[in-house]
Amino acid sequence: GAGVSQSPSNKVTEKGKDVELRCDPISGHTALYWYRQSLGQGLEFLIYFQGNSAPDKSGLPSDRFSAERTGGSVSTLTIQRTQQEDSAVYLCASSLYGVQETQYFGPGTRLLVL
Amino acid sequence: AQSVTQLDSHVSVSEGTPVLLRCNYSSSYSPSLFWYVQHPNKGLQLLLKYTSAATLVKGINGFEAEFKKSETSFHLTKPSAHMSDAAEYFCAVSRAGGTSYGKLTFGQGTILTVHP
């Protein structure tokens, strides 16, 4: 079956522009996570969705970052007024809701802010 | 609070020799522990996980890890390295329940190099 997909795979943007990153989780997975992977910070948690609700947004680095999930499926991570320090690989993962379920990761979106 | 420390940023082995990647964790709760592997320009793939069952966990591709509560460790081992094992490995901890349900906290990663 299909795994987690993310689009675009690569995004180059200019400082100050807004970007949207998309995640399609595995069908039926109710939990969805966004992480960021950067050279200086390693792998960091950004936000967690259960269905369409986000009970944990504690990892979003600033109010320029927001995310939503619709229909309990697709999620979009939006970065407004991008800065060079936003350059990173943004990873999405999904899992079935339950105790200690495995998270399945997508291939990531590589974002470069010039 | 949770944290993970991977004790080696780089490990280099010869093909056919054993692999040991070290991970220590800190958690205020009973942890679930994971090892993921990331090949260049690829996403993360789960190798194995510990979820309070058997302390010796077997994963894919011949990897295994042992949960040692007294040492707060979860080291990853493989008896014989293969060239295809060359990748970056991440240890991670999570906590079931609460508003941070399933959230993974990762170590900084260990790059494994395998020499012919």
Side-chain angles (χ1 to χ4, degrees), chain A residues 33 35 37 40-43 45 48 55-56 58 91 97-107 110, chain B residues 32 34 36 38 41-44 46 49 51-52 88 90 96 98-104 106-108:
Chain A
Y33 305 81
Y35 296 88
Q37 185 173 25
Q41 302 298 322
L43 271 159
F45 166 81
Y48 155 59
D56 188 352
S58 62
L91 294 167
Y97 184 81
V99 179
Q100 299 131 359
E101 293 292 348
T102 299
Q103 291 184 31
Y104 295 88
F105 282 80
R110 188 174 301 272
Chain B
S32 295
F34 305 80
Y36 283 86
Q38 186 176 36
N41 299 314
K42 301 285 189 183
L44 293 165
L46 180 71
K49 64 180 181 181
T51 56
S52 74
E88 189 163 16
F90 293 92
T99 56
S100 300
Y101 188 92
K103 161 188 169 182
L104 290 169
F106 288 91
Q108 289 297 309

Side-chain angles (χ1 to χ4, degrees), chain A residues 23-103:
Chain A
C23 172
D24 280 274
I26 293 173
S27 178
H29 280 193
T30 57
L32 186 147
Y33 305 81
W34 283 97
Y35 296 88
R36 179 169 72 172
Q37 185 173 25
S38 58
L39 280 175
Q41 302 298 322
L43 271 159
E44 306 171 280
F45 166 81
L46 296 178
I47 187 169
Y48 155 59
F49 285 93
Q50 182 53 243
N52 293 334
S53 300
D56 188 352
K57 307 178 184 180
S58 62
L60 295 178
S62 75
D63 59 7
R64 296 185 297 104
F65 287 73
S66 63
E68 65 175 10
R69 189 178 184 194
T70 55
S73 181
V74 171
S75 177
T76 303
L77 177 69
T78 301
I79 309 173
Q80 295 180 308
R81 306 181 301 282
T82 52
Q83 303 294 313
Q84 289 182 331
E85 61 263 29
D86 300 334
S87 297
V89 177
Y90 290 82
L91 294 167
C92 175
S94 71
S95 70
L96 285 169
Y97 184 81
V99 179
Q100 299 131 359
E101 293 292 348
T102 299
Q103 291 184 31

Side-chain angles (χ1 to χ4, degrees), chain B:
Chain B
Q2 302 174 128
S3 67
V4 173
T5 301
Q6 291 184 241
L7 299 169
D8 306 291
S9 58
H10 290 82
V11 170
S12 181
V13 301
S14 297
E15 190 174 22
T17 64
V19 175
L20 170 64
L21 305 182
R22 298 182 294 166
C23 172
N24 285 359
Y25 71 91
S26 173
S27 178
S28 304
Y29 307 92
S30 293
S32 295
L33 292 158
F34 305 80
W35 275 99
Y36 283 86
V37 61
Q38 186 176 36
H39 289 92
N41 299 314
K42 301 285 189 183
L44 293 165
Q45 180 185 18
L46 180 71
L47 282 177
L48 49 81
K49 64 180 181 181
Y50 165 77
T51 56
S52 74
T55 57
L56 182 62
V57 181
K58 294 188 184 298
I60 62 171
N61 301 335
F63 285 94
E64 64 180 38
E66 185 172 8
F67 172 69
K68 292 187 177 180
K69 185 176 180 179
S70 62
E71 298 177 10
T72 60
S73 69
F74 190 59
H75 301 335
L76 181 71
T77 60
K78 183 174 180 178
S80 177
H82 191 273
M83 295 296 291
S84 61
D85 294 329
E88 189 163 16
Y89 292 78
F90 293 92
C91 182
V93 63
S94 78
R95 170 202 167 193
T99 56
S100 300
Y101 188 92
K103 161 188 169 182
L104 290 169
T105 299
F106 288 91
Q108 289 297 309
T110 298
I111 296 173
L112 175 66
T113 302
V114 182
H115 298 288

